[in-house]
Amino acid sequence: MWGLYWLPVRYFADQGLTGSWPGVVMYLAALVAVLPFLWPVRRMLLNNWRALILSGMFTGAAFSLYTTSLVYTEVVRSILLFYLTPIWGTLLGLAFLGESLTLRRALGLLCGLGGLLIVLGGEGLPWPRNIGDWLALLSGMTWALGSLGLYRARGIPVPGQVFAFVMGALCVAAIAIPVELHLGQALPTAEAFQKTALLAALSAAFVLPMLFLTIWPATRLSPARVGMILMSEVVVGLISAALLANEVFGPREALGATLIVAAALLELAPSKQVSSI
């Protein structure tokens, strides 16, 4: 689902909702859709509002930054720069969760990062070259921090985590939009909002299940493991961008995607007693 997320984002941008606006309309739809799930767990959420703010701001910031990056750079670069996140997740796991850098995890990291380098090999190292690239890179960093917060707040009901996620994304967008206006980007027209209103409302049927399916595992798994498993998005994103956006997907991209899938499979393999590095 994350690998196809760029499709509605690009559609809204093509209709005149540029910059952070595609995210805003989808976050608002998801916010309305998640509200009925909050009532049964309202007391627990009120008792844990501090933890929700911490995890929600970082995961929401990652969501917002990643969404906006899809408007400003190629889908392939946005996805791949975001997926430097296993580096940050592994470092956080080593620093705060007492995890060990096992041989298997090190091999998984090498496969994943090797795949990223191969895919971007025609352009050198995956170094940000525009604002979209920088946003994608920052989104990976903030997601690693946010997933650590989700893991530590795993006792909080998932609907509350989704609500915090969406609110965090809206807060970041509320900051970004005035900055974009200051830099000269025009406000979307009323016609643009009218043309996209129905799809914006329907987008909750895509975004909300995607968030539940992302956040629930993130409350059970370490940040590094979550980052590795989510790398499956790379394959779906690369193929869909090649088929639907005419972005390049040749032998180099296929080899890189294969290594990235191998990284995820290594992380998902049954655990055995493996020596640490």
Side-chain angles (χ1 to χ4, degrees):
M1 294 181 77
W2 277 111
L4 297 175
Y5 177 69
W6 67 271
L7 286 169
V9 174
R10 286 288 182 87
Y11 172 81
F12 287 124
D14 291 342
Q15 300 304 311
L17 300 181
T18 58
S20 299
W21 285 102
V24 170
V25 296
M26 288 190 286
Y27 312 150
L28 287 173
L31 176 62
V32 173
V34 78
L35 290 178
F37 296 95
L38 301 179
W39 184 254
V41 295
R42 61 192 182 280
R43 294 188 184 279
M44 185 176 290
L45 300 183
L46 287 173
N47 292 334
N48 293 278
W49 63 271
R50 290 183 179 86
L52 281 174
I53 289 176
L54 178 63
S55 65
M57 285 306 300
F58 282 112
T59 56
F63 192 30
S64 183
L65 293 170
Y66 178 64
T67 301
T68 306
S69 76
L70 290 167
V71 178
Y72 288 121
T73 193
E74 293 94 334
V75 174
V76 171
R77 292 189 69 85
S78 183
I79 291 174
L80 293 175
L81 286 168
F82 173 85
Y83 278 103
L84 293 176
T85 188
I87 297 175
W88 324 129
T90 296
L91 292 175
L92 289 171
L94 294 172
F96 298 107
L97 299 179
E99 295 181 343
S100 299
L101 184 60
T102 64
L103 291 171
R104 188 180 68 182
R105 175 158 287 171
L107 182 59
L109 279 172
L110 288 174
C111 284
L113 294 176
L116 298 179
L117 290 173
I118 287 172
V119 171
L120 296 178
E123 302 172 13
L125 294 175
W127 182 256
R129 66 182 185 187
N130 57 40
I131 184 62
D133 288 357
W134 280 109
L135 292 175
L137 182 64
L138 287 173
S139 70
M141 294 178 180
T142 52
W143 171 255
L145 288 166
S147 59
L148 177 63
L150 289 171
Y151 184 68
R152 286 186 160 179
R154 54 189 176 273
I156 300 175
V158 175
Q161 298 280 17
V162 173
F163 172 73
F165 188 117
V166 174
M167 288 302 298
L170 283 170
C171 288
V172 172
I175 297 170
I177 286 174
V179 174
E180 292 171 348
L181 294 175
H182 179 72
L183 295 175
Q185 182 173 296
L187 277 171
T189 64
E191 182 183 3
F193 284 113
Q194 290 171 357
K195 287 193 299 183
T196 58
L198 178 60
L199 186 60
L202 292 175
S203 69
F206 180 83
V207 172
L208 197 62
M210 184 175 71
L211 295 184
F212 270 89
L213 290 169
T214 302
I215 290 178
W216 182 82
T219 64
R220 302 295 192 273
L221 305 173
S222 70
R225 191 170 176 83
V226 170
M228 285 289 197
I229 295 170
L230 280 174
M231 274 187 164
S232 59
E233 177 194 348
V234 175
V235 179
V236 179
L238 290 179
I239 294 173
S240 62
L243 294 176
L244 302 174
N246 296 319
E247 294 194 10
V248 175
F249 186 80
R252 187 179 74 242
E253 289 77 16
L255 177 59
T258 300
L259 283 172
I260 290 166
V261 172
L265 291 176
L266 281 167
E267 184 64 24
L268 286 169
S271 297
K272 294 181 179 178
Q273 191 69 28
V274 183
S275 60
S276 300
I277 295 176

